[in-house]
Amino acid sequence: MPITFDTLDELKAFYRAFSLEDKKVGSRTKTELPSEAEAVLPKKRGRKPGQVLKKEAVEKVAKKRGPKPQAQSAKKLALVKPKRDKSNTLTAKIQDAIRGYLNKKGSFTANDIYDVLSKKEPDINKQSVITSVLKQMNSTFSNISVTERPGNGPRPVKLYNA
């Protein structure tokens, strides 16, 4: 007749009693269940879903570390390069020419800016100047009014400050 148990605890208690008697005899079977000490699994990391965190844990999570403070050494300060002189760049020259027309309250085109710059520097590239003027008028001088008039080519010419 088979032995039945209502709960797992009853089974474990029976097994412990049986196991102790079996140890006294000196023979162990391979079918025995592991004892409670062996049955304990290592604790898993993290929290279970739906579990409420303790107040200390919430405070610990809320505090984040910032970046590490970095002291500038004398070597680094000595190695800092001085800023490059940007007053002699093509962009600076174009902006100066545009401001000259704006100060006179005159209207101008990209070709007019090229004419002003080519008088100062005859070897300047026309395509670079015209492209840069269009970019400058779309970004730095975007508040200047723009109109279009027919040009010699297929596209109309942009007339600024008209």
Side-chain angles (χ1 to χ4, degrees), residues 3-5 7-24 27-39:
I3 301 172
T4 58
F5 301 99
T7 64
L8 184 61
D9 292 333
E10 290 177 7
L11 172 64
K12 287 180 181 178
F14 173 79
Y15 178 75
R16 272 188 239 111
F18 180 75
S19 160
L20 291 175
E21 290 174 13
D22 199 28
K23 283 183 185 176
K24 289 178 186 174
S27 65
R28 291 184 77 169
T29 62
K30 291 187 177 184
T31 59
E32 68 179 273
L33 295 174
S35 65
E36 280 190 34
E38 295 172 356

mmCIF file of all heavy atoms in Angstrom, residues 3-5 7-24 27-39:
data_model
loop_
_atom_site.group_PDB
_atom_site.id
_atom_site.type_symbol
_atom_site.label_atom_id
_atom_site.label_comp_id
_atom_site.label_asym_id
_atom_site.label_seq_id
_atom_site.Cartn_x
_atom_site.Cartn_y
_atom_site.Cartn_z
ATOM 1 N N ILE A 3 2.287 5.079 0.421
ATOM 2 C CA ILE A 3 2.170 6.098 1.463
ATOM 3 C C ILE A 3 1.883 7.423 0.772
ATOM 4 O O ILE A 3 2.576 7.819 -0.172
ATOM 5 C CB ILE A 3 3.470 6.211 2.273
ATOM 6 C CG1 ILE A 3 3.800 4.858 2.909
ATOM 7 C CG2 ILE A 3 3.366 7.300 3.315
ATOM 8 C CD1 ILE A 3 5.151 4.819 3.564
ATOM 9 N N THR A 4 0.883 8.167 1.245
ATOM 10 C CA THR A 4 0.544 9.476 0.653
ATOM 11 C C THR A 4 0.722 10.555 1.713
ATOM 12 O O THR A 4 0.496 10.334 2.900
ATOM 13 C CB THR A 4 -0.900 9.496 0.123
ATOM 14 O OG1 THR A 4 -1.785 9.198 1.196
ATOM 15 C CG2 THR A 4 -1.083 8.502 -0.998
ATOM 16 N N PHE A 5 1.067 11.729 1.233
ATOM 17 C CA PHE A 5 1.271 12.882 2.123
ATOM 18 C C PHE A 5 0.429 14.035 1.619
ATOM 19 O O PHE A 5 0.321 14.273 0.412
ATOM 20 C CB PHE A 5 2.749 13.308 2.134
ATOM 21 C CG PHE A 5 3.672 12.203 2.595
ATOM 22 C CD1 PHE A 5 4.364 11.429 1.677
ATOM 23 C CD2 PHE A 5 3.841 11.946 3.945
ATOM 24 C CE1 PHE A 5 5.198 10.422 2.094
ATOM 25 C CE2 PHE A 5 4.675 10.926 4.365
ATOM 26 C CZ PHE A 5 5.364 10.160 3.444
ATOM 27 N N THR A 7 0.932 17.339 2.463
ATOM 28 C CA THR A 7 1.754 18.523 2.197
ATOM 29 C C THR A 7 3.194 18.119 1.961
ATOM 30 O O THR A 7 3.600 16.996 2.308
ATOM 31 C CB THR A 7 1.701 19.525 3.379
ATOM 32 O OG1 THR A 7 2.291 18.888 4.510
ATOM 33 C CG2 THR A 7 0.291 19.971 3.687
ATOM 34 N N LEU A 8 3.936 19.032 1.411
ATOM 35 C CA LEU A 8 5.350 18.802 1.173
ATOM 36 C C LEU A 8 6.107 18.703 2.498
ATOM 37 O O LEU A 8 7.072 17.941 2.619
ATOM 38 C CB LEU A 8 5.918 19.940 0.315
ATOM 39 C CG LEU A 8 7.368 19.823 -0.107
ATOM 40 C CD1 LEU A 8 7.571 18.567 -0.952
ATOM 41 C CD2 LEU A 8 7.807 21.045 -0.885
ATOM 42 N N ASP A 9 5.648 19.489 3.492
ATOM 43 C CA ASP A 9 6.301 19.444 4.807
ATOM 44 C C ASP A 9 6.201 18.049 5.428
ATOM 45 O O ASP A 9 7.156 17.566 6.043
ATOM 46 C CB ASP A 9 5.677 20.484 5.749
ATOM 47 C CG ASP A 9 6.000 21.905 5.309
ATOM 48 O OD1 ASP A 9 7.058 22.090 4.658
ATOM 49 O OD2 ASP A 9 5.205 22.822 5.611
ATOM 50 N N GLU A 10 5.047 17.413 5.275
ATOM 51 C CA GLU A 10 4.898 16.058 5.812
ATOM 52 C C GLU A 10 5.856 15.099 5.120
ATOM 53 O O GLU A 10 6.466 14.243 5.753
ATOM 54 C CB GLU A 10 3.455 15.567 5.633
ATOM 55 C CG GLU A 10 2.453 16.270 6.525
ATOM 56 C CD GLU A 10 1.027 15.797 6.257
ATOM 57 O OE1 GLU A 10 0.833 14.831 5.471
ATOM 58 O OE2 GLU A 10 0.118 16.387 6.841
ATOM 59 N N LEU A 11 6.007 15.273 3.810
ATOM 60 C CA LEU A 11 6.922 14.416 3.060
ATOM 61 C C LEU A 11 8.358 14.611 3.535
ATOM 62 O O LEU A 11 9.091 13.651 3.756
ATOM 63 C CB LEU A 11 6.807 14.714 1.563
ATOM 64 C CG LEU A 11 7.836 14.041 0.657
ATOM 65 C CD1 LEU A 11 7.665 12.527 0.692
ATOM 66 C CD2 LEU A 11 7.737 14.563 -0.745
ATOM 67 N N LYS A 12 8.739 15.881 3.718
ATOM 68 C CA LYS A 12 10.100 16.161 4.171
ATOM 69 C C LYS A 12 10.346 15.599 5.572
ATOM 70 O O LYS A 12 11.415 15.061 5.855
ATOM 71 C CB LYS A 12 10.370 17.668 4.155
ATOM 72 C CG LYS A 12 10.529 18.234 2.754
ATOM 73 C CD LYS A 12 10.805 19.724 2.812
ATOM 74 C CE LYS A 12 10.945 20.299 1.419
ATOM 75 N NZ LYS A 12 11.160 21.756 1.461
ATOM 76 N N ALA A 13 9.366 15.760 6.447
ATOM 77 C CA ALA A 13 9.514 15.227 7.812
ATOM 78 C C ALA A 13 9.662 13.712 7.783
ATOM 79 O O ALA A 13 10.515 13.139 8.483
ATOM 80 C CB ALA A 13 8.313 15.626 8.663
ATOM 81 N N PHE A 14 8.852 13.071 6.972
ATOM 82 C CA PHE A 14 8.958 11.625 6.846
ATOM 83 C C PHE A 14 10.323 11.235 6.291
ATOM 84 O O PHE A 14 10.966 10.307 6.775
ATOM 85 C CB PHE A 14 7.842 11.094 5.939
ATOM 86 C CG PHE A 14 7.981 9.637 5.628
ATOM 87 C CD1 PHE A 14 7.597 8.675 6.563
ATOM 88 C CD2 PHE A 14 8.505 9.208 4.415
ATOM 89 C CE1 PHE A 14 7.738 7.326 6.283
ATOM 90 C CE2 PHE A 14 8.644 7.869 4.138
ATOM 91 C CZ PHE A 14 8.261 6.916 5.076
ATOM 92 N N TYR A 15 10.747 11.939 5.295
ATOM 93 C CA TYR A 15 12.030 11.635 4.664
ATOM 94 C C TYR A 15 13.181 11.810 5.645
ATOM 95 O O TYR A 15 14.096 11.005 5.692
ATOM 96 C CB TYR A 15 12.232 12.541 3.434
ATOM 97 C CG TYR A 15 13.556 12.288 2.777
ATOM 98 C CD1 TYR A 15 13.774 11.154 2.014
ATOM 99 C CD2 TYR A 15 14.620 13.167 2.964
ATOM 100 C CE1 TYR A 15 14.989 10.901 1.434
ATOM 101 C CE2 TYR A 15 15.849 12.924 2.383
ATOM 102 C CZ TYR A 15 16.030 11.797 1.617
ATOM 103 O OH TYR A 15 17.240 11.536 1.052
ATOM 104 N N ARG A 16 13.126 12.928 6.439
ATOM 105 C CA ARG A 16 14.177 13.134 7.440
ATOM 106 C C ARG A 16 14.225 11.975 8.441
ATOM 107 O O ARG A 16 15.292 11.463 8.767
ATOM 108 C CB ARG A 16 13.966 14.462 8.173
ATOM 109 C CG ARG A 16 14.630 15.620 7.479
ATOM 110 C CD ARG A 16 14.575 16.880 8.341
ATOM 111 N NE ARG A 16 13.870 17.888 7.557
ATOM 112 C CZ ARG A 16 12.672 18.383 7.806
ATOM 113 N NH1 ARG A 16 12.018 18.006 8.877
ATOM 114 N NH2 ARG A 16 12.126 19.255 7.021
ATOM 115 N N ALA A 17 13.078 11.584 8.903
ATOM 116 C CA ALA A 17 13.020 10.478 9.875
ATOM 117 C C ALA A 17 13.540 9.194 9.235
ATOM 118 O O ALA A 17 14.331 8.456 9.839
ATOM 119 C CB ALA A 17 11.590 10.289 10.379
ATOM 120 N N PHE A 18 13.120 8.918 8.015
ATOM 121 C CA PHE A 18 13.557 7.727 7.312
ATOM 122 C C PHE A 18 15.050 7.776 7.028
ATOM 123 O O PHE A 18 15.763 6.798 7.184
ATOM 124 C CB PHE A 18 12.756 7.600 6.004
ATOM 125 C CG PHE A 18 13.134 6.398 5.195
ATOM 126 C CD1 PHE A 18 12.715 5.128 5.576
ATOM 127 C CD2 PHE A 18 13.906 6.529 4.064
ATOM 128 C CE1 PHE A 18 13.065 4.017 4.831
ATOM 129 C CE2 PHE A 18 14.254 5.413 3.317
ATOM 130 C CZ PHE A 18 13.834 4.162 3.702
ATOM 131 N N SER A 19 15.519 8.946 6.645
ATOM 132 C CA SER A 19 16.925 9.128 6.324
ATOM 133 C C SER A 19 17.790 8.938 7.562
ATOM 134 O O SER A 19 18.858 8.344 7.487
ATOM 135 C CB SER A 19 17.119 10.519 5.730
ATOM 136 O OG SER A 19 18.445 10.928 5.818
ATOM 137 N N LEU A 20 17.350 9.482 8.708
ATOM 138 C CA LEU A 20 18.120 9.308 9.936
ATOM 139 C C LEU A 20 18.218 7.827 10.306
ATOM 140 O O LEU A 20 19.268 7.355 10.726
ATOM 141 C CB LEU A 20 17.495 10.111 11.074
ATOM 142 C CG LEU A 20 17.612 11.642 10.936
ATOM 143 C CD1 LEU A 20 16.833 12.318 12.063
ATOM 144 C CD2 LEU A 20 19.060 12.062 10.977
ATOM 145 N N GLU A 21 17.129 7.111 10.181
ATOM 146 C CA GLU A 21 17.162 5.692 10.493
ATOM 147 C C GLU A 21 18.071 4.956 9.515
ATOM 148 O O GLU A 21 18.795 4.051 9.884
ATOM 149 C CB GLU A 21 15.749 5.096 10.440
ATOM 150 C CG GLU A 21 14.862 5.550 11.561
ATOM 151 C CD GLU A 21 13.430 5.047 11.391
ATOM 152 O OE1 GLU A 21 13.196 4.152 10.545
ATOM 153 O OE2 GLU A 21 12.561 5.562 12.094
ATOM 154 N N ASP A 22 18.025 5.386 8.259
ATOM 155 C CA ASP A 22 18.830 4.769 7.222
ATOM 156 C C ASP A 22 20.315 5.024 7.467
ATOM 157 O O ASP A 22 21.143 4.157 7.227
ATOM 158 C CB ASP A 22 18.404 5.315 5.856
ATOM 159 C CG ASP A 22 18.863 4.405 4.722
ATOM 160 O OD1 ASP A 22 18.993 3.196 4.986
ATOM 161 O OD2 ASP A 22 19.074 4.910 3.608
ATOM 162 N N LYS A 23 20.644 6.226 7.961
ATOM 163 C CA LYS A 23 22.047 6.542 8.245
ATOM 164 C C LYS A 23 22.573 5.682 9.386
ATOM 165 O O LYS A 23 23.747 5.334 9.410
ATOM 166 C CB LYS A 23 22.204 8.026 8.594
ATOM 167 C CG LYS A 23 22.152 8.932 7.390
ATOM 168 C CD LYS A 23 22.373 10.367 7.794
ATOM 169 C CE LYS A 23 22.198 11.277 6.579
ATOM 170 N NZ LYS A 23 22.312 12.683 6.938
ATOM 171 N N LYS A 24 21.703 5.402 10.337
ATOM 172 C CA LYS A 24 22.123 4.548 11.445
ATOM 173 C C LYS A 24 22.515 3.168 10.923
ATOM 174 O O LYS A 24 23.446 2.551 11.414
ATOM 175 C CB LYS A 24 21.003 4.424 12.480
ATOM 176 C CG LYS A 24 20.771 5.686 13.265
ATOM 177 C CD LYS A 24 19.624 5.504 14.244
ATOM 178 C CE LYS A 24 19.276 6.789 14.929
ATOM 179 N NZ LYS A 24 18.091 6.691 15.776
ATOM 180 N N SER A 27 23.645 2.638 5.224
ATOM 181 C CA SER A 27 23.522 2.572 3.771
ATOM 182 C C SER A 27 22.636 3.733 3.281
ATOM 183 O O SER A 27 21.602 4.007 3.867
ATOM 184 C CB SER A 27 22.920 1.234 3.350
ATOM 185 O OG SER A 27 21.604 1.124 3.816
ATOM 186 N N ARG A 28 23.083 4.347 2.229
ATOM 187 C CA ARG A 28 22.284 5.432 1.639
ATOM 188 C C ARG A 28 21.896 5.013 0.239
ATOM 189 O O ARG A 28 22.706 4.465 -0.498
ATOM 190 C CB ARG A 28 23.087 6.729 1.570
ATOM 191 C CG ARG A 28 23.354 7.326 2.939
ATOM 192 C CD ARG A 28 24.046 8.632 2.812
ATOM 193 N NE ARG A 28 23.105 9.679 2.428
ATOM 194 C CZ ARG A 28 23.390 10.956 2.442
ATOM 195 N NH1 ARG A 28 24.582 11.364 2.781
ATOM 196 N NH2 ARG A 28 22.497 11.843 2.089
ATOM 197 N N THR A 29 20.684 5.327 -0.110
ATOM 198 C CA THR A 29 20.230 5.019 -1.461
ATOM 199 C C THR A 29 20.406 6.238 -2.349
ATOM 200 O O THR A 29 20.455 7.375 -1.888
ATOM 201 C CB THR A 29 18.742 4.619 -1.455
ATOM 202 O OG1 THR A 29 17.984 5.718 -0.990
ATOM 203 C CG2 THR A 29 18.524 3.390 -0.592
ATOM 204 N N LYS A 30 20.489 6.022 -3.629
ATOM 205 C CA LYS A 30 20.665 7.128 -4.569
ATOM 206 C C LYS A 30 19.364 7.843 -4.856
ATOM 207 O O LYS A 30 19.357 8.899 -5.460
ATOM 208 C CB LYS A 30 21.258 6.604 -5.875
ATOM 209 C CG LYS A 30 22.676 6.143 -5.724
ATOM 210 C CD LYS A 30 23.262 5.801 -7.048
ATOM 211 C CE LYS A 30 24.706 5.409 -6.881
ATOM 212 N NZ LYS A 30 25.364 5.149 -8.147
ATOM 213 N N THR A 31 18.261 7.310 -4.423
ATOM 214 C CA THR A 31 16.957 7.908 -4.713
ATOM 215 C C THR A 31 16.515 8.893 -3.635
ATOM 216 O O THR A 31 15.421 9.413 -3.702
ATOM 217 C CB THR A 31 15.894 6.818 -4.862
ATOM 218 O OG1 THR A 31 15.835 6.075 -3.641
ATOM 219 C CG2 THR A 31 16.194 5.917 -6.044
ATOM 220 N N GLU A 32 17.356 9.147 -2.663
ATOM 221 C CA GLU A 32 16.923 10.009 -1.573
ATOM 222 C C GLU A 32 16.840 11.465 -2.027
ATOM 223 O O GLU A 32 17.540 11.905 -2.942
ATOM 224 C CB GLU A 32 17.865 9.886 -0.380
ATOM 225 C CG GLU A 32 19.248 10.446 -0.621
ATOM 226 C CD GLU A 32 20.116 10.321 0.603
ATOM 227 O OE1 GLU A 32 20.064 11.236 1.428
ATOM 228 O OE2 GLU A 32 20.806 9.307 0.733
ATOM 229 N N LEU A 33 15.941 12.210 -1.418
ATOM 230 C CA LEU A 33 15.763 13.630 -1.724
ATOM 231 C C LEU A 33 16.850 14.445 -1.030
ATOM 232 O O LEU A 33 17.316 14.063 0.043
ATOM 233 C CB LEU A 33 14.384 14.098 -1.243
ATOM 234 C CG LEU A 33 13.176 13.475 -1.951
ATOM 235 C CD1 LEU A 33 11.892 13.922 -1.266
ATOM 236 C CD2 LEU A 33 13.160 13.875 -3.418
ATOM 237 N N PRO A 34 17.252 15.579 -1.588
ATOM 238 C CA PRO A 34 18.272 16.398 -0.932
ATOM 239 C C PRO A 34 17.725 17.011 0.353
ATOM 240 O O PRO A 34 16.542 17.291 0.468
ATOM 241 C CB PRO A 34 18.591 17.484 -1.962
ATOM 242 C CG PRO A 34 17.406 17.527 -2.851
ATOM 243 C CD PRO A 34 16.826 16.146 -2.848
ATOM 244 N N SER A 35 18.621 17.174 1.310
ATOM 245 C CA SER A 35 18.198 17.763 2.576
ATOM 246 C C SER A 35 17.945 19.255 2.387
ATOM 247 O O SER A 35 18.230 19.831 1.353
ATOM 248 C CB SER A 35 19.268 17.539 3.639
ATOM 249 O OG SER A 35 20.437 18.246 3.271
ATOM 250 N N GLU A 36 17.413 19.908 3.399
ATOM 251 C CA GLU A 36 17.077 21.335 3.297
ATOM 252 C C GLU A 36 18.312 22.174 3.033
ATOM 253 O O GLU A 36 18.261 23.153 2.303
ATOM 254 C CB GLU A 36 16.384 21.805 4.583
ATOM 255 C CG GLU A 36 14.930 21.438 4.625
ATOM 256 C CD GLU A 36 14.220 22.117 5.766
ATOM 257 O OE1 GLU A 36 14.573 23.254 6.094
ATOM 258 O OE2 GLU A 36 13.316 21.500 6.327
ATOM 259 N N ALA A 37 19.442 21.832 3.629
ATOM 260 C CA ALA A 37 20.671 22.602 3.425
ATOM 261 C C ALA A 37 21.122 22.498 1.976
ATOM 262 O O ALA A 37 21.628 23.460 1.402
ATOM 263 C CB ALA A 37 21.758 22.101 4.352
ATOM 264 N N GLU A 38 20.954 21.333 1.365
ATOM 265 C CA GLU A 38 21.341 21.166 -0.024
ATOM 266 C C GLU A 38 20.316 21.777 -0.970
ATOM 267 O O GLU A 38 20.638 22.150 -2.086
ATOM 268 C CB GLU A 38 21.506 19.675 -0.329
ATOM 269 C CG GLU A 38 22.641 19.016 0.420
ATOM 270 C CD GLU A 38 22.628 17.515 0.223
ATOM 271 O OE1 GLU A 38 21.691 17.003 -0.421
ATOM 272 O OE2 GLU A 38 23.547 16.865 0.726
ATOM 273 N N ALA A 39 19.060 21.834 -0.544
ATOM 274 C CA ALA A 39 17.987 22.315 -1.411
ATOM 275 C C ALA A 39 17.982 23.839 -1.556
ATOM 276 O O ALA A 39 17.347 24.367 -2.451
ATOM 277 C CB ALA A 39 16.642 21.851 -0.892
#
